[in-house]
Amino acid sequence: MNGMLKYLKKYRKECVLAPLFKMLEASFELMVPLVMKVIIDQGIGGGDRGMVVRMVLVMVALGLIGLASSVTAQYFSARAATGFATGVRHALFEHLQKLSFSNMDALGTSTMITRMTSDVNLTQTGVNMTLRLFLRSPFVVFGAMIMAFTIDLRCALIFAAVIAALSAVVFGIMAVNIPMMKGVQRALEGVLGATRENLTGARVIRAFCKEDAQFAEFVQKNRELTARQKRAGWVSGLMNPLTYLLINFAIAWLIYTGAVQVSMGALTPGEVVALYNYMSQILVELIKLANLIVTMNKAAAGWNRIADVLAIQPDMVSPDAPAPAIACDEAVRFDHVSLHYKNAGGESLTDVSFTALKGQTIGVIGGTGSGKTSVVGLIPRFYDATSGTVSVGGADVRDWPEDELRGRIGFVLQKAVLFKGTIRDNLRWGKPDATDAELEDAIRIAQAGDVVAAKGGLDAEIEQNGRNLSGGQRQRLTIARALVRRPEILVLDDSASALDQATDLNLRRAIRGLDYHPTVFIVSQRTASIRNADQILVLDDGRVVGLGTHDGLIESCPVYREIYESQYGGEASA
């Protein structure tokens, strides 16, 4: 929990003032029973109406001052808690951006979203409630007991016994209930996970007619959650009856003892009423304290999950100094490169070696799972090679500052991802200061002119993840986004799979005609897309089984020939 204080340093004043104003409110609250005592004993008992009026005005004043103190305390605690949550979210988001793809693969998207939302909200609530009640509730409990001792020693002993009994009941129930609530949270996560899977996979479920099976599974998870909630609710439901039983027993005991003391002349009726009010205040504050501890436990669990993510060190560290300038014709070189993903059963790439010269077009082809995406993912250093060296511009990618390396590379991923905003906003990701002329040039090369025109121009809105676009439209716009920055190395990772043959051909011709002659990597399942490449890299089970031109590989590489013949049939054989 020490790490939480780091994000509260900016709010030292709020963290001090919030509890102080709450304790000030509690002080005025503890004075109310004494005012009641004066009203009953001196005002009503003595027949002094002026005293009653004055004391009522005092009570109103105490109430107003207490309200002002409470609102002020709430303001400061909310300000500190909100600022704390903002700082944690910023730190968490910044940290997640620094993590490598390997770290993100290990964490998972749902885990990162949960840490950023639910867990941060839990800690924010915990900070808010702690600042408001952590000092106030014990202050009222012990203050009420002390005030009772100032009124009557014998009756005050009842307070001491009741506080001990109430504490045992409240904290005993909490000790049993907190683990049960954690089980409820785990069951809830199961229900949420099943709901998420069913919503995201609705098309697949309907295609395979699995609605009934999925519904039955959801019902089972929901029943488990319901059963856990009932058990936890049954235990927590004991708190109110048991505490009220104890407090009513104590009140009866107090009234009996007070009545005896009044008949003996040792106590006044007003003092008995004051003691009764103090007893009620103790009950309320102990229940508040119990709820606070439950909230603090949830906040601590949420913070521990956040701290676990913040403690993860990035697998890859980028140097601050620029990479050494090396004069060479090599754009990319793989030297006996192997790659083993974390927790994978075996190597994804084994002893991959090839060289791509500046201005060349490199085709990458192979069967599903052969390692095509893994190869091109090493160029911008999305992952680090397990062994061997990947060089860009003659320098090891590990010697490049991350921003400088990736600034030279235009990467179009397999899955076309667009963000909510205008077409112009999306295209300027690679170059924020790009002019409309540069955007239109990139759109023309990417064969996306008809897409932009149909949507109404560069200011047309794109929905989240490009939901209002087809697969081919998204792919063309993501290619245009990569071209805007005029990269030295352009990687198209199966990014034309949704395009028809004619559009794909026009795209490749336009890229080949670029005046600045980038080095282009084309990952594709179609031999037609790469047959004119300067070099074709053929992969099979993570190994290079062929490297050369189309004609040469047809003669020398069985894997490439098999892929080609499967796509062209008898024409290929001829």
Side-chain angles (χ1 to χ4, degrees):
M1 300 295 287
N2 292 333
M4 296 179 69
L5 300 178
K6 172 183 175 182
Y7 301 98
L8 285 170
K9 285 182 179 178
K10 292 183 180 179
Y11 304 95
R12 293 189 183 94
K13 179 182 70 175
E14 287 82 356
C15 291
V16 172
L17 291 178
L20 284 180
F21 274 99
K22 267 296 177 182
M23 292 176 69
L24 182 63
E25 177 207 359
S27 300
F28 291 125
E29 189 175 326
L30 289 172
M31 294 171 63
V32 171
L34 297 180
V35 177
M36 286 293 299
K37 179 177 76 71
V38 173
I39 290 175
I40 293 172
D41 290 342
Q42 299 181 23
I44 298 174
D48 189 347
R49 292 187 177 180
M51 176 65 72
V52 173
V53 172
R54 288 194 298 273
M55 288 299 101
V56 167
L57 293 176
V58 169
M59 287 184 67
V60 172
L62 290 174
L64 293 175
I65 297 172
L67 176 62
S69 301
S70 178
V71 171
T72 305
Q74 179 61 43
Y75 168 77
F76 285 123
S77 62
R79 181 180 172 84
T82 304
F84 163 82
T86 301
V88 172
R89 283 195 186 95
H90 286 173
L92 193 56
F93 189 81
E94 182 181 4
H95 183 72
L96 290 174
Q97 293 299 312
K98 293 178 180 177
L99 296 181
S100 67
F101 278 28
S102 298
N103 296 134
M104 292 185 177
D105 291 342
L107 280 173
T109 304
S110 58
T111 297
M112 291 186 283
I113 292 174
T114 302
R115 300 296 179 270
M116 288 283 295
T117 54
S118 176
D119 290 332
V120 173
N121 289 339
L122 283 175
T123 56
Q124 178 180 345
T125 303
V127 170
N128 193 355
M129 297 297 289
T130 299
L131 292 176
R132 290 170 55 196
L133 298 176
F134 187 68
L135 293 179
R136 183 191 188 282
S137 292
F139 179 79
V140 171
V141 169
F142 290 105
M145 187 172 66
I146 291 169
M147 296 299 287
F149 272 102
T150 62
I151 295 174
D152 183 70
L153 178 61
R154 182 177 297 180
C155 292
L157 293 176
I158 299 174
F159 279 71
V162 170
I163 289 174
L166 284 173
S167 299
V169 169
V170 170
F171 294 109
I173 290 175
M174 283 175 50
V176 176
N177 194 234
I178 288 175
M180 298 177 76
M181 292 303 296
K182 290 180 179 178
V184 169
Q185 192 67 24
R186 286 193 297 270
L188 178 60
E189 289 175 359
V191 171
L192 293 176
T195 304
R196 180 175 178 272
E197 284 187 344
N198 278 271
L199 290 175
T200 55
R203 293 174 183 266
V204 178
I205 292 170
R206 292 179 183 179
F208 286 90
C209 302
K210 301 291 288 184
E211 294 96 326
D212 292 340
Q214 292 300 109
F215 179 73
E217 181 181 347
F218 178 80
V219 168
Q220 177 60 34
K221 291 180 180 293
N222 208 22
R223 283 176 178 168
E224 181 183 353
L225 172 61
T226 303
R228 288 179 178 272
Q229 285 179 323
K230 283 182 177 179
R231 288 194 294 270
W234 182 83
V235 173
S236 63
L238 292 174
M239 185 176 294
N240 279 350
L242 289 178
T243 51
Y244 278 103
L245 177 65
L246 283 173
I247 206 72
N248 285 321
F249 173 76
I251 288 172
W253 187 10
L254 179 65
I255 291 175
Y256 170 76
T257 305
V260 173
Q261 296 287 86
V262 169
S263 66
M264 294 172 57
L267 281 179
T268 63
E271 290 173 334
V272 175
V273 172
L275 290 170
Y276 170 81
N277 286 333
Y278 284 130
M279 185 69 74
S280 300
Q281 287 179 357
I282 288 172
L283 171 64
V284 171
E285 293 304 325
L286 279 176
I287 293 175
K288 283 184 183 178
L289 188 60
N291 292 329
L292 171 63
I293 293 174
V294 172
T295 302
M296 289 175 66
N297 274 291
K298 290 180 179 178
W303 174 254
N304 288 337
R305 290 192 288 268
I306 293 170
D308 289 342
V309 174
L310 292 174
I312 296 174
Q313 295 300 317
D315 289 342
M316 299 185 296
V317 179
S318 176
D320 296 326
I326 301 174
C328 67
D329 292 331
E330 294 178 359
V332 176
R333 180 166 59 87
F334 277 59
D335 187 10
H336 300 287
V337 171
S338 297
L339 175 64
H340 189 290
Y341 292 112
K342 282 186 176 180
N343 303 320
E347 287 186 333
S348 298
L349 296 176
T350 304
D351 197 29
V352 175
S353 296
F354 69 92
T355 300
L357 300 179
K358 293 179 179 178
Q360 281 191 332
T361 297
I362 311 297
V364 184
I365 196 168
T368 302
S370 60
K372 302 185 296 296
T373 296
S374 297
V375 167
V376 294
L378 293 175
I379 299 173
R381 206 186 172 200
F382 290 157
Y383 297 91
D384 268 340
T386 309
S387 62
T389 304
V390 180
S391 301
V392 170
D396 192 324
V397 292
R398 286 169 286 203
D399 296 333
W400 284 90
E402 185 178 281
D403 292 343
E404 187 177 349
L405 172 65
R406 294 176 182 170
R408 293 169 174 259
I409 301 170
F411 204 104
V412 186
L413 298 167
Q414 276 183 319
K415 183 180 180 181
V417 177
L418 294 170
F419 297 87
K420 183 176 176 59
T422 64
I423 293 176
R424 179 183 281 105
D425 293 337
N426 274 274
L427 296 185
R428 280 180 171 171
W429 270 58
K431 189 178 180 183
D433 59 347
T435 63
D436 284 359
E438 290 175 308
L439 299 181
E440 289 168 0
D441 189 47
I443 290 168
R444 176 185 57 79
I445 296 168
Q447 312 301 305
D450 58 332
V451 179
V452 177
K455 292 298 177 183
L458 291 172
D459 291 319
E461 285 290 329
I462 293 178
E463 294 182 8
Q464 184 179 4
N465 207 25
R467 286 197 302 263
N468 57 334
L469 300 172
S470 68
Q473 290 173 332
R474 287 198 298 268
Q475 285 189 340
R476 282 180 280 173
L477 286 178
T478 53
I479 293 170
R481 181 174 61 194
L483 289 169
V484 167
R485 73 195 310 173
R486 296 173 67 87
E488 297 177 13
I489 300 171
L490 177 63
V491 180
L492 304 177
D493 183 7
D494 206 12
S495 54
S497 58
L499 304 184
D500 59 79
Q501 296 278 3
T503 304
D504 186 18
L505 177 60
N506 292 334
L507 171 65
R508 285 184 280 111
R509 283 176 177 170
I511 291 174
R512 186 176 285 273
L514 289 171
D515 55 1
Y516 61 95
H517 305 299
T519 303
V520 181
F521 284 81
I522 300 177
V523 178
S524 179
Q525 300 280 4
R526 300 190 298 214
T527 54
S529 298
I530 62 171
R531 65 181 299 166
N532 294 320
D534 298 302
Q535 292 187 77
I536 298 174
L537 186 70
V538 185
L539 296 172
D540 184 39
D541 197 22
R543 296 179 182 273
V544 177
V545 295
L547 179 62
T549 62
H550 170 77
D551 293 335
L553 291 171
I554 287 291
E555 298 295 330
S556 63
C557 182
V559 174
Y560 183 79
R561 185 168 59 250
E562 181 182 352
I563 295 172
Y564 181 66
E565 290 178 351
S566 69
Q567 295 174 4
Y568 288 92
E571 178 188 345
S573 301

